[in-house]
Amino acid sequence: MAVRRIVAYAGGDDIAASREFYVEVLGMRVAMEDPVLDLQSPDDPAAEVIIGAQEMQDANPSLGVDVGESAAVDAAHAEAVRRGLRVVYPLTDEPWGVRRFFVQDPGGTIVNVLAHIA
């Protein structure tokens, strides 16, 4: 399994102000605005921040780990279950084209393990 990118999730009540900060102050570009604000480095799209994701979910992940392929998501899920880790959001194919699950790491951080569905 190869980790392709790690995505930071930022919270906030003022999406417009956050958009302005990341674009105008840090020079990021807007990659998506619906259903969440996805901001990426213009030099490396794997360097990104997503705003609004935490507010959309029952369990609030601190970060997302893109493992590249749906089969890798399935393998990570099977290993997490085998190890007795707490899965806090079930293995799901989301309507926006992502296969994912949320797992609590041993330190208590909730991680969104995902891949785009091919």
PDB file of all heavy atoms in Angstrom, residues 3-25:
ATOM      1  N   VAL A   3       0.906   5.415   0.438  1.00  0.00           N
ATOM      2  CA  VAL A   3       0.174   6.621   0.802  1.00  0.00           C
ATOM      3  C   VAL A   3       0.509   7.676  -0.252  1.00  0.00           C
ATOM      4  O   VAL A   3       1.669   8.006  -0.457  1.00  0.00           O
ATOM      5  CB  VAL A   3       0.565   7.107   2.213  1.00  0.00           C
ATOM      6  CG1 VAL A   3      -0.078   8.453   2.515  1.00  0.00           C
ATOM      7  CG2 VAL A   3       0.160   6.075   3.255  1.00  0.00           C
ATOM      8  N   ARG A   4      -0.515   8.185  -0.922  1.00  0.00           N
ATOM      9  CA  ARG A   4      -0.305   9.163  -1.993  1.00  0.00           C
ATOM     10  C   ARG A   4      -0.297  10.597  -1.495  1.00  0.00           C
ATOM     11  O   ARG A   4       0.346  11.458  -2.065  1.00  0.00           O
ATOM     12  CB  ARG A   4      -1.377   8.995  -3.052  1.00  0.00           C
ATOM     13  CG  ARG A   4      -1.328   7.621  -3.673  1.00  0.00           C
ATOM     14  CD  ARG A   4      -1.591   7.697  -5.134  1.00  0.00           C
ATOM     15  NE  ARG A   4      -1.370   6.378  -5.699  1.00  0.00           N
ATOM     16  CZ  ARG A   4      -2.027   5.913  -6.716  1.00  0.00           C
ATOM     17  NH1 ARG A   4      -2.960   6.638  -7.278  1.00  0.00           N
ATOM     18  NH2 ARG A   4      -1.760   4.725  -7.184  1.00  0.00           N
ATOM     19  N   ARG A   5      -1.074  10.856  -0.452  1.00  0.00           N
ATOM     20  CA  ARG A   5      -1.121  12.207   0.097  1.00  0.00           C
ATOM     21  C   ARG A   5      -1.770  12.149   1.463  1.00  0.00           C
ATOM     22  O   ARG A   5      -2.492  11.209   1.784  1.00  0.00           O
ATOM     23  CB  ARG A   5      -1.895  13.166  -0.813  1.00  0.00           C
ATOM     24  CG  ARG A   5      -3.346  12.811  -0.947  1.00  0.00           C
ATOM     25  CD  ARG A   5      -4.058  13.633  -2.019  1.00  0.00           C
ATOM     26  NE  ARG A   5      -5.389  13.089  -2.163  1.00  0.00           N
ATOM     27  CZ  ARG A   5      -6.507  13.757  -2.008  1.00  0.00           C
ATOM     28  NH1 ARG A   5      -6.468  15.049  -1.745  1.00  0.00           N
ATOM     29  NH2 ARG A   5      -7.665  13.185  -2.150  1.00  0.00           N
ATOM     30  N   ILE A   6      -1.480  13.145   2.262  1.00  0.00           N
ATOM     31  CA  ILE A   6      -2.134  13.313   3.550  1.00  0.00           C
ATOM     32  C   ILE A   6      -2.787  14.682   3.514  1.00  0.00           C
ATOM     33  O   ILE A   6      -2.148  15.681   3.180  1.00  0.00           O
ATOM     34  CB  ILE A   6      -1.145  13.186   4.714  1.00  0.00           C
ATOM     35  CG1 ILE A   6      -0.578  11.760   4.730  1.00  0.00           C
ATOM     36  CG2 ILE A   6      -1.815  13.530   6.036  1.00  0.00           C
ATOM     37  CD1 ILE A   6       0.478  11.515   5.763  1.00  0.00           C
ATOM     38  N   VAL A   7      -4.068  14.718   3.815  1.00  0.00           N
ATOM     39  CA  VAL A   7      -4.866  15.935   3.707  1.00  0.00           C
ATOM     40  C   VAL A   7      -5.182  16.462   5.096  1.00  0.00           C
ATOM     41  O   VAL A   7      -5.701  15.728   5.932  1.00  0.00           O
ATOM     42  CB  VAL A   7      -6.185  15.648   2.952  1.00  0.00           C
ATOM     43  CG1 VAL A   7      -7.005  16.910   2.807  1.00  0.00           C
ATOM     44  CG2 VAL A   7      -5.904  15.019   1.594  1.00  0.00           C
ATOM     45  N   ALA A   8      -4.879  17.733   5.318  1.00  0.00           N
ATOM     46  CA  ALA A   8      -5.226  18.378   6.584  1.00  0.00           C
ATOM     47  C   ALA A   8      -6.651  18.893   6.494  1.00  0.00           C
ATOM     48  O   ALA A   8      -7.070  19.405   5.452  1.00  0.00           O
ATOM     49  CB  ALA A   8      -4.274  19.536   6.850  1.00  0.00           C
ATOM     50  N   TYR A   9      -7.403  18.760   7.586  1.00  0.00           N
ATOM     51  CA  TYR A   9      -8.754  19.302   7.660  1.00  0.00           C
ATOM     52  C   TYR A   9      -8.737  20.488   8.612  1.00  0.00           C
ATOM     53  O   TYR A   9      -8.308  20.363   9.756  1.00  0.00           O
ATOM     54  CB  TYR A   9      -9.746  18.257   8.183  1.00  0.00           C
ATOM     55  CG  TYR A   9      -9.899  17.057   7.289  1.00  0.00           C
ATOM     56  CD1 TYR A   9      -9.895  15.781   7.820  1.00  0.00           C
ATOM     57  CD2 TYR A   9     -10.051  17.195   5.919  1.00  0.00           C
ATOM     58  CE1 TYR A   9     -10.046  14.663   7.006  1.00  0.00           C
ATOM     59  CE2 TYR A   9     -10.193  16.084   5.102  1.00  0.00           C
ATOM     60  CZ  TYR A   9     -10.195  14.831   5.652  1.00  0.00           C
ATOM     61  OH  TYR A   9     -10.341  13.731   4.851  1.00  0.00           O
ATOM     62  N   ALA A  10      -9.190  21.619   8.137  1.00  0.00           N
ATOM     63  CA  ALA A  10      -9.281  22.814   8.969  1.00  0.00           C
ATOM     64  C   ALA A  10     -10.746  23.130   9.209  1.00  0.00           C
ATOM     65  O   ALA A  10     -11.576  22.970   8.325  1.00  0.00           O
ATOM     66  CB  ALA A  10      -8.593  23.994   8.279  1.00  0.00           C
ATOM     67  N   GLY A  11     -11.046  23.552  10.393  1.00  0.00           N
ATOM     68  CA  GLY A  11     -12.412  23.939  10.725  1.00  0.00           C
ATOM     69  C   GLY A  11     -12.606  25.422  10.494  1.00  0.00           C
ATOM     70  O   GLY A  11     -11.732  26.118   9.996  1.00  0.00           O
ATOM     71  N   GLY A  12     -13.751  25.892  10.858  1.00  0.00           N
ATOM     72  CA  GLY A  12     -13.989  27.322  10.754  1.00  0.00           C
ATOM     73  C   GLY A  12     -15.402  27.633  10.344  1.00  0.00           C
ATOM     74  O   GLY A  12     -16.000  26.896   9.566  1.00  0.00           O
ATOM     75  N   ASP A  13     -15.907  28.720  10.884  1.00  0.00           N
ATOM     76  CA  ASP A  13     -17.276  29.123  10.592  1.00  0.00           C
ATOM     77  C   ASP A  13     -17.381  30.045   9.389  1.00  0.00           C
ATOM     78  O   ASP A  13     -18.451  30.185   8.809  1.00  0.00           O
ATOM     79  CB  ASP A  13     -17.878  29.830  11.812  1.00  0.00           C
ATOM     80  CG  ASP A  13     -17.966  28.909  13.013  1.00  0.00           C
ATOM     81  OD1 ASP A  13     -17.969  27.688  12.830  1.00  0.00           O
ATOM     82  OD2 ASP A  13     -18.011  29.430  14.137  1.00  0.00           O
ATOM     83  N   ASP A  14     -16.285  30.695   9.020  1.00  0.00           N
ATOM     84  CA  ASP A  14     -16.322  31.684   7.944  1.00  0.00           C
ATOM     85  C   ASP A  14     -15.520  31.161   6.756  1.00  0.00           C
ATOM     86  O   ASP A  14     -14.323  31.423   6.625  1.00  0.00           O
ATOM     87  CB  ASP A  14     -15.780  33.016   8.449  1.00  0.00           C
ATOM     88  CG  ASP A  14     -16.023  34.157   7.486  1.00  0.00           C
ATOM     89  OD1 ASP A  14     -16.246  33.891   6.278  1.00  0.00           O
ATOM     90  OD2 ASP A  14     -15.977  35.312   7.934  1.00  0.00           O
ATOM     91  N   ILE A  15     -16.189  30.418   5.887  1.00  0.00           N
ATOM     92  CA  ILE A  15     -15.527  29.798   4.735  1.00  0.00           C
ATOM     93  C   ILE A  15     -14.922  30.867   3.821  1.00  0.00           C
ATOM     94  O   ILE A  15     -13.809  30.704   3.319  1.00  0.00           O
ATOM     95  CB  ILE A  15     -16.516  28.903   3.951  1.00  0.00           C
ATOM     96  CG1 ILE A  15     -17.042  27.774   4.848  1.00  0.00           C
ATOM     97  CG2 ILE A  15     -15.872  28.341   2.692  1.00  0.00           C
ATOM     98  CD1 ILE A  15     -16.023  26.763   5.275  1.00  0.00           C
ATOM     99  N   ALA A  16     -15.631  31.967   3.604  1.00  0.00           N
ATOM    100  CA  ALA A  16     -15.130  33.024   2.723  1.00  0.00           C
ATOM    101  C   ALA A  16     -13.827  33.612   3.263  1.00  0.00           C
ATOM    102  O   ALA A  16     -12.870  33.836   2.504  1.00  0.00           O
ATOM    103  CB  ALA A  16     -16.179  34.111   2.548  1.00  0.00           C
ATOM    104  N   ALA A  17     -13.761  33.858   4.565  1.00  0.00           N
ATOM    105  CA  ALA A  17     -12.539  34.405   5.158  1.00  0.00           C
ATOM    106  C   ALA A  17     -11.405  33.388   5.087  1.00  0.00           C
ATOM    107  O   ALA A  17     -10.253  33.747   4.817  1.00  0.00           O
ATOM    108  CB  ALA A  17     -12.796  34.830   6.600  1.00  0.00           C
ATOM    109  N   SER A  18     -11.722  32.122   5.304  1.00  0.00           N
ATOM    110  CA  SER A  18     -10.704  31.078   5.200  1.00  0.00           C
ATOM    111  C   SER A  18     -10.191  30.981   3.767  1.00  0.00           C
ATOM    112  O   SER A  18      -8.988  30.866   3.531  1.00  0.00           O
ATOM    113  CB  SER A  18     -11.265  29.732   5.645  1.00  0.00           C
ATOM    114  OG  SER A  18     -11.532  29.740   7.022  1.00  0.00           O
ATOM    115  N   ARG A  19     -11.110  31.028   2.803  1.00  0.00           N
ATOM    116  CA  ARG A  19     -10.724  30.996   1.387  1.00  0.00           C
ATOM    117  C   ARG A  19      -9.767  32.134   1.083  1.00  0.00           C
ATOM    118  O   ARG A  19      -8.715  31.945   0.466  1.00  0.00           O
ATOM    119  CB  ARG A  19     -11.967  31.088   0.506  1.00  0.00           C
ATOM    120  CG  ARG A  19     -11.710  31.003  -0.977  1.00  0.00           C
ATOM    121  CD  ARG A  19     -13.037  31.253  -1.736  1.00  0.00           C
ATOM    122  NE  ARG A  19     -12.989  30.866  -3.109  1.00  0.00           N
ATOM    123  CZ  ARG A  19     -12.412  31.576  -4.074  1.00  0.00           C
ATOM    124  NH1 ARG A  19     -11.806  32.723  -3.806  1.00  0.00           N
ATOM    125  NH2 ARG A  19     -12.424  31.134  -5.319  1.00  0.00           N
ATOM    126  N   GLU A  20     -10.111  33.332   1.516  1.00  0.00           N
ATOM    127  CA  GLU A  20      -9.274  34.504   1.267  1.00  0.00           C
ATOM    128  C   GLU A  20      -7.886  34.331   1.900  1.00  0.00           C
ATOM    129  O   GLU A  20      -6.867  34.627   1.283  1.00  0.00           O
ATOM    130  CB  GLU A  20      -9.948  35.755   1.820  1.00  0.00           C
ATOM    131  CG  GLU A  20      -9.165  37.022   1.558  1.00  0.00           C
ATOM    132  CD  GLU A  20      -9.879  38.263   2.067  1.00  0.00           C
ATOM    133  OE1 GLU A  20     -11.126  38.274   2.129  1.00  0.00           O
ATOM    134  OE2 GLU A  20      -9.168  39.214   2.405  1.00  0.00           O
ATOM    135  N   PHE A  21      -7.839  33.827   3.132  1.00  0.00           N
ATOM    136  CA  PHE A  21      -6.557  33.630   3.813  1.00  0.00           C
ATOM    137  C   PHE A  21      -5.661  32.671   3.034  1.00  0.00           C
ATOM    138  O   PHE A  21      -4.509  32.980   2.736  1.00  0.00           O
ATOM    139  CB  PHE A  21      -6.785  33.099   5.229  1.00  0.00           C
ATOM    140  CG  PHE A  21      -5.519  32.617   5.891  1.00  0.00           C
ATOM    141  CD1 PHE A  21      -4.612  33.528   6.411  1.00  0.00           C
ATOM    142  CD2 PHE A  21      -5.230  31.267   5.965  1.00  0.00           C
ATOM    143  CE1 PHE A  21      -3.430  33.088   7.009  1.00  0.00           C
ATOM    144  CE2 PHE A  21      -4.058  30.827   6.559  1.00  0.00           C
ATOM    145  CZ  PHE A  21      -3.149  31.739   7.078  1.00  0.00           C
ATOM    146  N   TYR A  22      -6.184  31.487   2.716  1.00  0.00           N
ATOM    147  CA  TYR A  22      -5.353  30.488   2.063  1.00  0.00           C
ATOM    148  C   TYR A  22      -4.954  30.884   0.643  1.00  0.00           C
ATOM    149  O   TYR A  22      -3.850  30.576   0.193  1.00  0.00           O
ATOM    150  CB  TYR A  22      -6.041  29.111   2.075  1.00  0.00           C
ATOM    151  CG  TYR A  22      -5.991  28.468   3.434  1.00  0.00           C
ATOM    152  CD1 TYR A  22      -7.059  28.578   4.320  1.00  0.00           C
ATOM    153  CD2 TYR A  22      -4.866  27.774   3.859  1.00  0.00           C
ATOM    154  CE1 TYR A  22      -7.013  28.001   5.579  1.00  0.00           C
ATOM    155  CE2 TYR A  22      -4.809  27.193   5.113  1.00  0.00           C
ATOM    156  CZ  TYR A  22      -5.882  27.318   5.972  1.00  0.00           C
ATOM    157  OH  TYR A  22      -5.827  26.753   7.228  1.00  0.00           O
ATOM    158  N   VAL A  23      -5.832  31.596  -0.060  1.00  0.00           N
ATOM    159  CA  VAL A  23      -5.529  32.017  -1.427  1.00  0.00           C
ATOM    160  C   VAL A  23      -4.650  33.264  -1.436  1.00  0.00           C
ATOM    161  O   VAL A  23      -3.600  33.290  -2.087  1.00  0.00           O
ATOM    162  CB  VAL A  23      -6.836  32.249  -2.226  1.00  0.00           C
ATOM    163  CG1 VAL A  23      -6.552  32.896  -3.575  1.00  0.00           C
ATOM    164  CG2 VAL A  23      -7.582  30.929  -2.410  1.00  0.00           C
ATOM    165  N   GLU A  24      -5.063  34.302  -0.709  1.00  0.00           N
ATOM    166  CA  GLU A  24      -4.366  35.585  -0.776  1.00  0.00           C
ATOM    167  C   GLU A  24      -3.088  35.633   0.064  1.00  0.00           C
ATOM    168  O   GLU A  24      -2.110  36.258  -0.327  1.00  0.00           O
ATOM    169  CB  GLU A  24      -5.304  36.718  -0.348  1.00  0.00           C
ATOM    170  CG  GLU A  24      -6.550  36.838  -1.213  1.00  0.00           C
ATOM    171  CD  GLU A  24      -6.248  37.166  -2.668  1.00  0.00           C
ATOM    172  OE1 GLU A  24      -5.286  37.922  -2.929  1.00  0.00           O
ATOM    173  OE2 GLU A  24      -6.980  36.656  -3.545  1.00  0.00           O
ATOM    174  N   VAL A  25      -3.097  34.988   1.217  1.00  0.00           N
ATOM    175  CA  VAL A  25      -1.929  35.040   2.093  1.00  0.00           C
ATOM    176  C   VAL A  25      -0.928  33.938   1.763  1.00  0.00           C
ATOM    177  O   VAL A  25       0.275  34.175   1.680  1.00  0.00           O
ATOM    178  CB  VAL A  25      -2.341  34.971   3.584  1.00  0.00           C
ATOM    179  CG1 VAL A  25      -1.122  34.914   4.496  1.00  0.00           C
ATOM    180  CG2 VAL A  25      -3.219  36.166   3.941  1.00  0.00           C
TER     181      VAL A  25
END
